[in-house]
Amino acid sequence: MARPPDTIAALVHRFGPHLTYEPAGGWTTRGEPDRIVPTHCCFCGQQCGIQLKVKNEKVVGFEPWEEFPFNKGKLCPKGVKRYMQDEHPDRLRTPLVRDEGQGFQRIDWNAALDRTVREIQRIQSAHGRDAFAVLTGASLTNEKAYLMGKFARVALRTANIDYNGRLCMVSAAAASKKILGIDRSANPWSDIPKAQVILVAGANVAECAPITTDYLWQARENGAKLIILDPRMTPIARTADLFIPVRPGGDIGIFNGMLHVMIERGWIDRDFIAAHTTGWDTVEAIVRRYTPEYASQIAGVPASMIVRAAEMWGPAATSFLLHARGIEHHSKGVENCMAAINLVVATGRVGREGCGYAMITGQGNGQGAREQGQKCDQLPGARDIENPAHREHVARVWGVDESTIPHTGLSAVPLLEAIHDGRIKGLLLICFNPVVSLPDGNFIREALGRLEHFAVVDFFLSETAQYADVVFPGSLMEEDEGTTTSVEGRVIHHRQVVRPPEGAREDWRIICDLAARLGAADKFAYESTREIFEEIRLASKGGIADYAGITWDRIDRETGVFWPCPSVDHPGTPRLYEGARFGHADGKAHFQPVEWRPAAEETDAEYPIVLTTGRVVSQYLSGTQTRRIGALVDQYPEPRCEMHPRLAESLGVGDGELVRVESRRGFILVRALVVKTIRPDTVFVPYHWPYGQSANNCTIRAIDPISKIPEFKICAVRVSKEP
Amino acid sequence: MNEFAFFIDYSRCIGCQACVHACSECDTHRGRSLIHLETIERRESVQTAPQVCMHCEDPICAQVCPADAIKQTSDGVVQSSLKPRCIGCSNCVLACPFGVPKYDADVDQMMKCDMCYDRTSTGRRPMCATVCPSGALAFATIEEIMQARRGHPVNDWWFGDAHVRTKVYVLVPTEVSRFDISIIPLSALRRAPKPPVDPYDVAALLEGR
């Protein structure tokens, strides 16, 4: 029975989101801090360095950390205000159990842990081990991500563990692995300003990775040309040398069309292709058909833009490709990314200073959290759960028999579908708010309602935690110690700035306690997260994401260490593929031919408009944290439906008027934002909000066949003025 | 820190408001932000522009203050109004050519950006210019800026016939040597022809215009 135990209004009244505007103790008592702790932002994959001020064991403010090389003190609004969570009145300070009709009741820790363990054992003995699943997140540190993977495979022995990186990095990861052989940005950010041309595909850098803006602008100061692909004129697109307002889902038209022109004009590196790649002939045969005219029909932009892009990208001496969710959140997300990466490899401009490629990680530990074994198909070190040698290595580190490690489980969306159809009956969830963040919200809520037991670890009562049977109050990033791996592949150190508030606990201690009660105490006998990191070093040793040579002391001394780093005397690897040595066994890059195909749901007469979703600068993901910080909420208080004046006029909608955005799956009521900066055939709604304003009420539960990422960027809707 | 100067590059601004929030976090501000972020015209474009106090060499706000409440320190920083002197008349608010001073009814005095005097006077950079993720705001030496940026810094402003020189520089293309801001009567503005192509209209871009 996992349904909200009271009305939403009553739960919100008690647990928030409420807004804080002042630091702990108020502005007037802040005074001189007792200490200032250098650490990192808890939010996006940029993982900016920041110093937190502590007074009376409470975080009361921040000071820029100018010595940290990635951001040099720079921060976005979320980073500036993130510290307001620590003493937030909504913080959970005691375990809770659902009490039908009464909301949640307080319960002591032992009783809460016992209850969940009893339910796990009941469900697993009645329905099999895989009937209890685990969902985790990419905002967890490496240590916690590793712990969750081990907990699922060793303590629960369930195959079904997946994480919210499934909504984020998996298309980029799969494409990168297929072509280049390693799932990581190929270059450090310091290469960006050295490139002569930069292609940013489907990345609203200004709002989703603001610190990267300075790198782009710095490249332009050095004379670089900037090409931006986006259905919306974003702040970085406004002054770009070439802005291509691509139709959602039309990206392959741009990439293949560019490659077509580049081949015609001789702007590919045939020597490099012959020496260092495979599969070129198939790619060449396919893109031959992608004339600018044909490509322009797919891309929904004038052919001249595609030619111009090729003219800028093709002959340059150095170049950098950046892509993000705009091309990845598709049922052909992997193909989109592969078509883009083909452009990099065809020019041979990779693995050198100023030449390369990067995926812009979304979540704080989007990179590291997918390497430590909480993906349904991976073991630590980015190892393959179906590879016998990989399984054997990890089994030895864990001290278990290889045969006891489960095989590939379900990824996030199919896992929710399995809950919906009753195959999975219990769920432990941490660091994930699927009620807001997964597509087809009504289906997701219905699925959660069918769980026999639902346990959640969180620091606030998220909209998903409202469905829980048991809630364990966990810790914020600054209340625990550990590492994350930033967008660059740089492993960095998050310090414990303060302890969790009384009644809450560090997440890893909660998981270890559950494991102990499940009879795996000896496998989870950690005294600190540093011990977990030491085990990651062993577990990842010899793997692709090799952390064996990384220590916390080195991270502090060297302001981060880039993996792979196989030994303590190895300097780490800021730039991959140097000397054109790629990650595949043959050392070559493997071109992947890509043909365009339509989205899972294209527009039609009934639903004639494309809905695309994304983020705004002042909110973060499902908003569990940022919808509680007053200044950030005031900046963008509610989602708005961006539409072009031409579309608005045809719908009879004025700026600021309430509209109903409706798909075959659900609808939202939001206000219109009428702007010329979006394609007239597309509307945009940011997804950070719950309930009747949740853009994911409309989105489609279609996933990429390889990466299993949902198609957040395209679904068909109709829009009408709400009387 | 005298060799350090404040620079604005409007073309870099992404409208994120990190400057606004960081300003409010300054120890003496207690949640009140004294930087303005202007959204130029959201329907037409995503362009935004941060506005700090420009710290005029001969500050107009101080000239028009009947209570002599606005003081300039020896390093050229124009301070907020002095609480015992400010009478809240808002002359400065009306007179400033950059629209910087604001009358704050809660404290009944004019408040404005003082270039983070408490920080710069102790060797730290101003909050806004430290956090700005786009580099639209920068606190650096002229040499650092000249090395890192295209264009050049300019601090000469002409408002009709009135000349103003500011402590804060704006980065502009090298062909621009000063800012001429003509005083145009509203009637002339209404008659002015609209530009034939709207560079920020995505529909127009798609039609190949």
Side-chain angles (χ1 to χ4, degrees):
Chain A
M1 184 61 171
R3 242 167 271 153
D6 204 345
T7 63
I8 296 298
L11 291 173
V12 168
H13 179 74
R14 181 170 164 201
F15 297 103
H18 297 102
L19 300 181
T20 46
Y21 286 92
E22 296 199 354
W27 297 108
T28 50
T29 61
R30 194 154 71 161
E32 278 300 301
D34 299 330
R35 61 177 184 275
I36 298 181
V37 184
T39 187
H40 294 272
C41 183
C42 55
F43 293 129
C44 84
Q46 312 271 292
Q47 290 291 281
C48 294
I50 183 173
Q51 304 184 90
L52 295 180
K53 293 179 177 174
V54 181
K55 177 102 174 166
N56 299 327
E57 294 308 313
K58 297 181 192 328
V59 182
V60 294
F62 84 101
E63 180 64 32
W65 185 13
E66 295 186 53
E67 292 74 27
F68 189 72
F70 178 79
N71 62 305
K72 298 184 175 70
K74 294 179 167 62
L75 291 167
C76 83
K78 298 182 289 291
V80 168
K81 291 290 180 183
R82 58 83 70 109
Y83 78 89
M84 294 252 180
Q85 299 173 77
D86 291 77
E87 288 297 313
H88 199 287
D90 293 345
R91 280 301 296 276
L92 300 176
R93 290 160 186 269
T94 168
L96 300 167
V97 285
R98 79 185 303 278
D99 184 1
E100 181 60 35
Q102 303 295 312
F104 288 96
Q105 301 297 334
R106 296 193 175 108
I107 182 174
D108 76 50
W109 271 98
N110 283 325
L113 292 162
D114 287 343
R115 186 154 177 162
T116 288
V117 167
R118 212 165 47 236
E119 285 295 310
I120 291 170
Q121 288 167 336
R122 181 187 65 75
I123 288 168
Q124 288 196 319
S125 61
H127 305 286
R129 293 187 174 280
D130 291 346
F132 200 93
V134 179
L135 282 174
T136 67
S139 297
L140 296 175
T141 57
N142 288 319
E143 291 75 9
K144 289 195 271 185
Y146 174 84
L147 189 70
M148 294 312 299
K150 183 176 175 184
F151 175 78
R153 273 69 174 252
V154 173
L156 293 176
R157 290 179 56 197
T158 177
N160 291 322
I161 172 168
D162 207 45
Y163 79 132
N164 63 11
R166 192 63 64 184
L167 292 52
C168 192
M169 294 312 296
V170 285
S171 292
S176 206
K177 254 167 93 168
K178 275 177 174 288
I179 297 182
L180 304 170
I182 299 178
D183 162 18
R184 202 204 92 180
S185 287
N187 296 62
W189 253 229
S190 54
D191 271 342
I192 296 174
K194 296 170 183 164
Q196 284 182 3
V197 58
I198 298 174
L199 172 59
V200 181
N204 181 5
V205 167
E207 299 202 70
C208 306
I211 306 305
T212 296
T213 310
D214 186 52
Y215 286 88
L216 296 179
W217 289 166
Q218 211 47 55
R220 293 190 73 195
E221 304 285 2
N222 300 339
K225 299 281 185 223
L226 191 55
I227 310 169
I228 309 286
L229 255 68
D230 204 301
R232 297 190 300 149
M233 186 181 282
T234 59
I236 55 162
R238 184 178 70 84
T239 60
D241 298 280
L242 178 62
F243 164 51
I244 305 179
V246 62
R247 186 174 73 84
D251 311 281
I252 289 168
I254 306 285
F255 303 138
N256 280 4
M258 283 172 69
L259 198 51
H260 176 98
V261 175
M262 284 159 57
I263 292 169
E264 251 185 0
R265 310 248 187 125
W267 288 328
I268 55 165
D269 188 338
R270 290 203 179 264
D271 292 339
F272 181 90
I273 291 171
H276 303 297
T277 71
T278 65
W280 168 252
D281 292 348
T282 334
V283 170
E284 189 168 16
I286 282 180
V287 301
R288 191 166 298 139
R289 280 192 294 106
Y290 284 74
T291 61
E293 293 68 31
Y294 175 68
S296 93
Q297 286 165 23
I298 291 169
V301 299
S304 58
M305 285 185 178
I306 298 170
V307 175
R308 184 80 194 101
E311 287 171 347
M312 289 165 72
W313 181 264
T318 53
S319 62
F320 208 100
L321 164 72
L322 289 146
H323 64 71
R325 305 309 85 69
I327 68 167
E328 298 161 16
H329 275 161
H330 293 267
S331 57
K332 52 179 175 293
V334 178
E335 289 141 277
N336 286 340
C337 298
M338 292 193 304
I341 300 171
N342 282 345
L343 287 172
V344 174
V345 180
T347 56
R349 294 194 299 253
V350 61
R352 285 185 276 135
E353 190 177 48
C355 289
Y357 150 73
M359 49 185 115
I360 305 176
T361 320
Q363 296 189 68
N365 197 21
Q367 181 65 46
R370 69 182 188 260
E371 300 158 1
Q372 317 306 353
Q374 56 174 355
K375 269 174 103 169
C376 66
D377 56 353
Q378 276 192 2
L379 291 172
R383 284 188 161 89
D384 180 356
I385 202 166
E386 299 302 343
N387 179 315
H390 291 187
R391 293 171 61 84
E392 192 53 54
H393 174 89
V394 173
R396 266 200 309 277
V397 174
W398 286 349
V400 300
D401 193 90
E402 180 272 324
S403 64
T404 66
I405 297 178
H407 288 264
T408 306
L410 294 171
S411 69
V413 172
L415 197 152
L416 260 297
E417 288 169 345
I419 294 171
H420 195 270
D421 68 21
R423 282 175 290 146
I424 291 175
K425 301 196 180 292
L427 178 66
L428 171 68
L429 176 141
I430 180 171
C431 189
F432 196 170
N433 189 9
V435 162
V436 177
S437 62
L438 278 181
D440 196 0
N442 292 322
F443 178 90
I444 301 300
R445 287 183 283 273
E446 206 172 272
L448 292 179
R450 297 182 179 181
L451 283 167
E452 291 180 8
H453 186 75
F454 184 23
V456 171
V457 181
D458 214 331
F459 33 73
F460 294 119
L461 195 84
S462 70
E463 287 75 17
T464 298
Q466 291 172 351
Y467 286 72
D469 294 287
V470 177
V471 182
F472 299 102
S475 49
L476 290 165
M477 200 64 126
E478 53 270 41
E479 294 165 356
D480 199 355
E481 189 170 20
T483 60
T484 59
T485 306
S486 77
V487 66
E488 299 179 292
R490 186 198 300 254
V491 183
I492 53 168
H493 186 184
H494 283 255
R495 287 175 181 78
Q496 183 168 30
V497 181
V498 290
R499 297 185 57 74
E502 184 153 3
R505 302 181 65 198
E506 288 100 338
D507 296 335
W508 65 275
R509 293 186 194 274
I510 301 169
I511 300 305
C512 289
D513 275 359
L514 286 171
R517 281 170 162 77
L518 288 162
D522 57 322
K523 305 282 188 278
F524 292 83
Y526 306 107
E527 296 288 326
S528 68
T529 48
R530 190 187 281 255
E531 287 182 14
I532 304 176
F533 186 80
E534 291 302 315
E535 194 173 305
I536 291 175
R537 292 177 62 198
L538 297 176
S540 68
K541 189 176 175 62
I544 292 163
D546 192 335
Y547 286 50
I550 304 176
T551 66
W552 283 12
D553 294 338
R554 274 193 72 181
I555 293 172
D556 291 345
R557 253 192 338 268
E558 301 168 30
T559 53
V561 181
F562 294 76
W563 71 256
C565 180
S567 62
V568 285
D569 55 2
H570 187 284
T573 315
R575 189 184 296 118
L576 299 175
Y577 317 128
E578 284 186 339
R581 282 189 309 276
F582 291 96
H584 292 294
D586 60 6
K588 296 186 173 186
H590 297 177
F591 278 107
Q592 300 292 327
V594 176
E595 280 278 20
W596 179 83
R597 58 189 173 88
E601 182 182 60
E602 294 282 351
T603 54
D604 55 25
E606 218 183 333
Y607 297 92
I609 301 163
V610 175
L611 167 68
T612 194
T613 64
R615 288 160 53 185
V616 299
V617 69
S618 59
Q619 287 294 315
Y620 181 64
L621 307 186
S622 73
T624 303
Q625 293 161 281
T626 45
R627 279 188 279 111
R628 292 179 153 84
I629 299 174
L632 299 180
V633 170
D634 290 352
Q635 184 170 341
Y636 198 106
E638 58 176 14
R640 286 191 154 210
C641 177
E642 283 185 24
M643 62 176 80
H644 193 276
R646 286 192 197 173
L647 177 62
E649 199 174 311
S650 73
L651 298 169
V653 171
D655 186 54
E657 288 182 341
L658 203 59
V659 294
R660 181 185 178 94
V661 181
E662 184 171 21
S663 77
R664 289 182 173 85
R665 296 156 293 279
F667 72 93
I668 52 172
L669 296 176
V670 293
R671 293 195 182 278
L673 181 64
V674 178
V675 291
K676 290 181 179 172
T677 49
I678 186 170
R679 291 175 61 94
D681 55 5
T682 301
V683 294
F684 169 84
V685 181
Y687 81 93
H688 311 284
W689 290 267
Y691 314 127
Q693 294 184 317
S694 180
N696 280 323
N697 291 349
C698 301
T699 51
I700 186 166
R701 206 161 18 91
I703 58 177
D704 180 285
I706 297 164
S707 71
K708 314 286 196 278
I709 207 168
E711 187 147 65
F712 291 113
K713 291 294 184 271
I714 306 177
C715 73
V717 295
R718 54 187 176 215
V719 179
S720 55
K721 186 168 161 175
E722 186 71 7
Chain B
M1 297 285 276
N2 271 340
E3 71 273 30
F4 280 79
F6 200 110
F7 301 89
I8 305 175
D9 181 348
Y10 294 108
S11 73
R12 282 184 169 231
C13 182
I14 53 173
C16 73
Q17 300 200 29
C19 55
V20 173
H21 295 303
C23 184
S24 76
E25 286 293 327
C26 197
D27 282 331
T28 52
H29 292 184
R30 296 177 179 176
R32 182 193 291 113
S33 186
L34 298 176
I35 185 172
H36 314 308
L37 183 85
E38 313 292 350
T39 299
I40 306 303
E41 179 56 79
R42 183 60 189 95
R43 181 187 171 94
E44 305 295 323
S45 161
V46 289
Q47 187 173 3
T48 49
Q51 186 65 60
V52 293
C53 175
M54 301 300 284
H55 299 281
C56 304
E57 274 185 7
D58 187 6
I60 300 158
C61 55
Q63 289 172 36
V64 301
C65 179
D68 197 18
I70 303 170
K71 298 294 185 189
Q72 191 175 28
T73 37
S74 58
D75 50 9
V77 171
V78 183
Q79 303 288 339
S80 265
S81 70
L82 294 167
K83 175 70 177 162
R85 284 177 175 247
C86 181
I87 55 172
C89 70
S90 293
N91 266 7
C92 54
V93 177
L94 295 168
C96 173
F98 302 102
V100 168
K102 296 278 185 258
Y103 169 68
D104 187 330
D106 287 345
V107 291
D108 188 27
Q109 72 176 113
M110 179 278 275
M111 300 290 289
K112 69 165 194 62
C113 154
D114 62 4
M115 211 185 272
C116 276
Y117 203 69
D118 55 335
R119 295 178 65 83
T120 48
S121 59
T122 57
R124 290 176 296 170
R125 294 170 204 262
M127 267 295 196
C128 58
T130 312
V131 302
C132 177
S134 70
L137 304 173
F139 193 68
T141 64
I142 294 245
E143 294 72 38
E144 283 169 344
I145 283 290
M146 293 299 283
Q147 197 177 20
R149 307 283 177 103
R150 295 178 296 184
H152 71 149
V154 168
N155 65 342
D156 271 311
W157 303 76
W158 289 84
F159 297 92
D161 294 333
H163 177 223
V164 175
R165 180 169 289 136
T166 57
K167 184 174 171 66
V168 171
Y169 292 90
V170 172
L171 287 158
V172 288
T174 37
E175 57 269 25
V176 178
S177 59
R178 63 181 219 179
F179 299 103
D180 278 304
I181 291 148
S182 313
I183 311 298
I184 306 171
L186 268 181
S187 55
L189 199 63
R190 285 193 202 99
R191 284 197 306 274
K194 284 220 158 109
V197 177
D198 180 345
Y200 300 132
D201 184 350
V202 172
L205 288 173
L206 290 171
E207 285 160 4
R209 280 193 269 144

mmCIF file of all heavy atoms in Angstrom, chain A residues 356-379:
data_model
loop_
_atom_site.group_PDB
_atom_site.id
_atom_site.type_symbol
_atom_site.label_atom_id
_atom_site.label_comp_id
_atom_site.label_asym_id
_atom_site.label_seq_id
_atom_site.Cartn_x
_atom_site.Cartn_y
_atom_site.Cartn_z
ATOM 1 N N GLY A 356 38.500 18.266 -29.401
ATOM 2 C CA GLY A 356 37.869 17.208 -28.651
ATOM 3 C C GLY A 356 36.360 17.268 -28.586
ATOM 4 O O GLY A 356 35.690 17.872 -29.419
ATOM 5 N N TYR A 357 35.910 16.666 -27.524
ATOM 6 C CA TYR A 357 34.487 16.350 -27.431
ATOM 7 C C TYR A 357 34.122 16.204 -25.963
ATOM 8 O O TYR A 357 34.905 15.671 -25.181
ATOM 9 C CB TYR A 357 34.239 15.038 -28.183
ATOM 10 C CG TYR A 357 33.109 14.225 -27.629
ATOM 11 C CD1 TYR A 357 31.799 14.646 -27.833
ATOM 12 C CD2 TYR A 357 33.335 13.082 -26.880
ATOM 13 C CE1 TYR A 357 30.747 13.924 -27.311
ATOM 14 C CE2 TYR A 357 32.284 12.351 -26.354
ATOM 15 C CZ TYR A 357 30.997 12.776 -26.572
ATOM 16 O OH TYR A 357 29.964 12.074 -26.046
ATOM 17 N N ALA A 358 32.945 16.690 -25.610
ATOM 18 C CA ALA A 358 32.471 16.490 -24.236
ATOM 19 C C ALA A 358 30.959 16.410 -24.203
ATOM 20 O O ALA A 358 30.270 17.072 -24.974
ATOM 21 C CB ALA A 358 32.938 17.636 -23.343
ATOM 22 N N MET A 359 30.475 15.573 -23.319
ATOM 23 C CA MET A 359 29.060 15.540 -22.989
ATOM 24 C C MET A 359 28.919 16.354 -21.703
ATOM 25 O O MET A 359 29.766 16.265 -20.819
ATOM 26 C CB MET A 359 28.612 14.108 -22.780
ATOM 27 C CG MET A 359 29.521 13.314 -21.856
ATOM 28 S SD MET A 359 29.040 11.593 -21.767
ATOM 29 C CE MET A 359 30.434 10.776 -22.506
ATOM 30 N N ILE A 360 27.882 17.174 -21.637
ATOM 31 C CA ILE A 360 27.733 18.016 -20.454
ATOM 32 C C ILE A 360 26.891 17.266 -19.422
ATOM 33 O O ILE A 360 25.675 17.147 -19.560
ATOM 34 C CB ILE A 360 27.096 19.371 -20.798
ATOM 35 C CG1 ILE A 360 27.918 20.062 -21.900
ATOM 36 C CG2 ILE A 360 27.026 20.248 -19.553
ATOM 37 C CD1 ILE A 360 27.324 21.359 -22.384
ATOM 38 N N THR A 361 27.549 16.743 -18.409
ATOM 39 C CA THR A 361 26.870 15.962 -17.380
ATOM 40 C C THR A 361 25.813 16.821 -16.686
ATOM 41 O O THR A 361 26.065 17.967 -16.375
ATOM 42 C CB THR A 361 27.887 15.506 -16.320
ATOM 43 O OG1 THR A 361 29.074 15.126 -16.978
ATOM 44 C CG2 THR A 361 27.347 14.368 -15.517
ATOM 45 N N GLY A 362 24.657 16.216 -16.452
ATOM 46 C CA GLY A 362 23.572 16.976 -15.837
ATOM 47 C C GLY A 362 23.658 17.003 -14.331
ATOM 48 O O GLY A 362 23.705 18.058 -13.712
ATOM 49 N N GLN A 363 23.709 15.828 -13.707
ATOM 50 C CA GLN A 363 23.637 15.774 -12.258
ATOM 51 C C GLN A 363 25.024 15.870 -11.632
ATOM 52 O O GLN A 363 26.044 15.614 -12.273
ATOM 53 C CB GLN A 363 22.965 14.483 -11.824
ATOM 54 C CG GLN A 363 21.525 14.402 -12.287
ATOM 55 C CD GLN A 363 20.796 13.230 -11.671
ATOM 56 O OE1 GLN A 363 20.549 13.217 -10.483
ATOM 57 N NE2 GLN A 363 20.459 12.262 -12.483
ATOM 58 N N GLY A 364 25.019 16.188 -10.340
ATOM 59 C CA GLY A 364 26.257 16.445 -9.632
ATOM 60 C C GLY A 364 27.307 15.378 -9.847
ATOM 61 O O GLY A 364 28.448 15.661 -10.176
ATOM 62 N N ASN A 365 26.899 14.135 -9.659
ATOM 63 C CA ASN A 365 27.843 13.044 -9.873
ATOM 64 C C ASN A 365 27.392 12.204 -11.060
ATOM 65 O O ASN A 365 27.508 10.987 -11.055
ATOM 66 C CB ASN A 365 27.979 12.188 -8.611
ATOM 67 C CG ASN A 365 29.223 11.324 -8.637
ATOM 68 O OD1 ASN A 365 30.168 11.613 -9.373
ATOM 69 N ND2 ASN A 365 29.223 10.262 -7.849
ATOM 70 N N GLY A 366 26.852 12.876 -12.061
ATOM 71 C CA GLY A 366 26.367 12.190 -13.260
ATOM 72 C C GLY A 366 27.429 11.288 -13.858
ATOM 73 O O GLY A 366 27.135 10.220 -14.391
ATOM 74 N N GLN A 367 28.678 11.717 -13.776
ATOM 75 C CA GLN A 367 29.766 10.891 -14.309
ATOM 76 C C GLN A 367 30.084 9.737 -13.349
ATOM 77 O O GLN A 367 29.954 8.575 -13.703
ATOM 78 C CB GLN A 367 31.012 11.756 -14.556
ATOM 79 C CG GLN A 367 32.197 10.988 -15.132
ATOM 80 C CD GLN A 367 31.927 10.438 -16.527
ATOM 81 O OE1 GLN A 367 31.417 11.116 -17.402
ATOM 82 N NE2 GLN A 367 32.235 9.160 -16.728
ATOM 83 N N GLY A 368 30.463 10.073 -12.125
ATOM 84 C CA GLY A 368 30.919 9.032 -11.203
ATOM 85 C C GLY A 368 29.830 8.049 -10.821
ATOM 86 O O GLY A 368 30.078 6.843 -10.705
ATOM 87 N N ALA A 369 28.614 8.543 -10.646
ATOM 88 C CA ALA A 369 27.550 7.670 -10.156
ATOM 89 C C ALA A 369 27.182 6.593 -11.161
ATOM 90 O O ALA A 369 26.520 5.626 -10.825
ATOM 91 C CB ALA A 369 26.315 8.493 -9.772
ATOM 92 N N ARG A 370 27.615 6.769 -12.426
ATOM 93 C CA ARG A 370 27.302 5.715 -13.391
ATOM 94 C C ARG A 370 28.453 4.742 -13.547
ATOM 95 O O ARG A 370 28.366 3.808 -14.324
ATOM 96 C CB ARG A 370 26.891 6.313 -14.731
ATOM 97 C CG ARG A 370 27.969 7.018 -15.545
ATOM 98 C CD ARG A 370 27.318 7.567 -16.810
ATOM 99 N NE ARG A 370 28.241 8.104 -17.792
ATOM 100 C CZ ARG A 370 28.513 9.397 -17.957
ATOM 101 N NH1 ARG A 370 27.965 10.285 -17.150
ATOM 102 N NH2 ARG A 370 29.313 9.799 -18.900
ATOM 103 N N GLU A 371 29.533 4.981 -12.823
ATOM 104 C CA GLU A 371 30.693 4.093 -12.947
ATOM 105 C C GLU A 371 30.789 3.104 -11.795
ATOM 106 O O GLU A 371 31.557 2.161 -11.867
ATOM 107 C CB GLU A 371 31.984 4.934 -12.938
ATOM 108 C CG GLU A 371 32.064 5.945 -14.051
ATOM 109 C CD GLU A 371 33.025 7.072 -13.713
ATOM 110 O OE1 GLU A 371 33.634 7.028 -12.621
ATOM 111 O OE2 GLU A 371 33.156 7.991 -14.527
ATOM 112 N N GLN A 372 30.069 3.373 -10.699
ATOM 113 C CA GLN A 372 30.321 2.629 -9.467
ATOM 114 C C GLN A 372 29.393 1.439 -9.285
ATOM 115 O O GLN A 372 29.365 0.842 -8.213
ATOM 116 C CB GLN A 372 30.241 3.548 -8.240
ATOM 117 C CG GLN A 372 30.908 4.892 -8.395
ATOM 118 C CD GLN A 372 32.377 4.828 -8.827
ATOM 119 O OE1 GLN A 372 32.971 3.763 -8.896
ATOM 120 N NE2 GLN A 372 32.945 5.973 -9.128
ATOM 121 N N GLY A 373 28.576 1.157 -10.280
ATOM 122 C CA GLY A 373 27.822 -0.082 -10.206
ATOM 123 C C GLY A 373 26.407 0.040 -9.676
ATOM 124 O O GLY A 373 25.896 -0.893 -9.066
ATOM 125 N N GLN A 374 25.747 1.176 -9.900
ATOM 126 C CA GLN A 374 24.326 1.244 -9.541
ATOM 127 C C GLN A 374 23.445 1.282 -10.788
ATOM 128 O O GLN A 374 22.237 1.449 -10.678
ATOM 129 C CB GLN A 374 24.024 2.409 -8.601
ATOM 130 C CG GLN A 374 24.450 3.765 -9.127
ATOM 131 C CD GLN A 374 23.996 4.904 -8.228
ATOM 132 O OE1 GLN A 374 23.285 4.703 -7.248
ATOM 133 N NE2 GLN A 374 24.396 6.111 -8.563
ATOM 134 N N LYS A 375 24.067 1.144 -11.960
ATOM 135 C CA LYS A 375 23.293 0.952 -13.187
ATOM 136 C C LYS A 375 22.911 -0.515 -13.274
ATOM 137 O O LYS A 375 23.672 -1.384 -12.862
ATOM 138 C CB LYS A 375 24.164 1.277 -14.408
ATOM 139 C CG LYS A 375 24.097 2.704 -14.876
ATOM 140 C CD LYS A 375 25.102 2.921 -15.991
ATOM 141 C CE LYS A 375 24.431 2.952 -17.349
ATOM 142 N NZ LYS A 375 25.383 3.416 -18.393
ATOM 143 N N CYS A 376 21.754 -0.773 -13.868
ATOM 144 C CA CYS A 376 21.252 -2.151 -13.886
ATOM 145 C C CYS A 376 22.166 -3.106 -14.643
ATOM 146 O O CYS A 376 22.064 -4.311 -14.483
ATOM 147 C CB CYS A 376 19.841 -2.189 -14.471
ATOM 148 S SG CYS A 376 19.774 -1.735 -16.210
ATOM 149 N N ASP A 377 23.063 -2.580 -15.458
ATOM 150 C CA ASP A 377 23.901 -3.454 -16.289
ATOM 151 C C ASP A 377 25.391 -3.289 -16.003
ATOM 152 O O ASP A 377 26.214 -3.734 -16.787
ATOM 153 C CB ASP A 377 23.631 -3.177 -17.775
ATOM 154 C CG ASP A 377 23.836 -1.709 -18.128
ATOM 155 O OD1 ASP A 377 24.058 -0.893 -17.217
ATOM 156 O OD2 ASP A 377 23.758 -1.377 -19.325
ATOM 157 N N GLN A 378 25.737 -2.625 -14.907
ATOM 158 C CA GLN A 378 27.153 -2.374 -14.656
ATOM 159 C C GLN A 378 27.573 -2.734 -13.239
ATOM 160 O O GLN A 378 26.790 -2.665 -12.291
ATOM 161 C CB GLN A 378 27.480 -0.890 -14.897
ATOM 162 C CG GLN A 378 27.761 -0.580 -16.368
ATOM 163 C CD GLN A 378 28.351 0.801 -16.557
ATOM 164 O OE1 GLN A 378 28.581 1.525 -15.588
ATOM 165 N NE2 GLN A 378 28.586 1.167 -17.803
ATOM 166 N N LEU A 379 28.851 -3.062 -13.133
ATOM 167 C CA LEU A 379 29.503 -3.258 -11.840
ATOM 168 C C LEU A 379 30.550 -2.143 -11.679
ATOM 169 O O LEU A 379 30.832 -1.430 -12.638
ATOM 170 C CB LEU A 379 30.156 -4.644 -11.797
ATOM 171 C CG LEU A 379 29.162 -5.823 -11.767
ATOM 172 C CD1 LEU A 379 29.884 -7.159 -11.928
ATOM 173 C CD2 LEU A 379 28.338 -5.825 -10.471
#
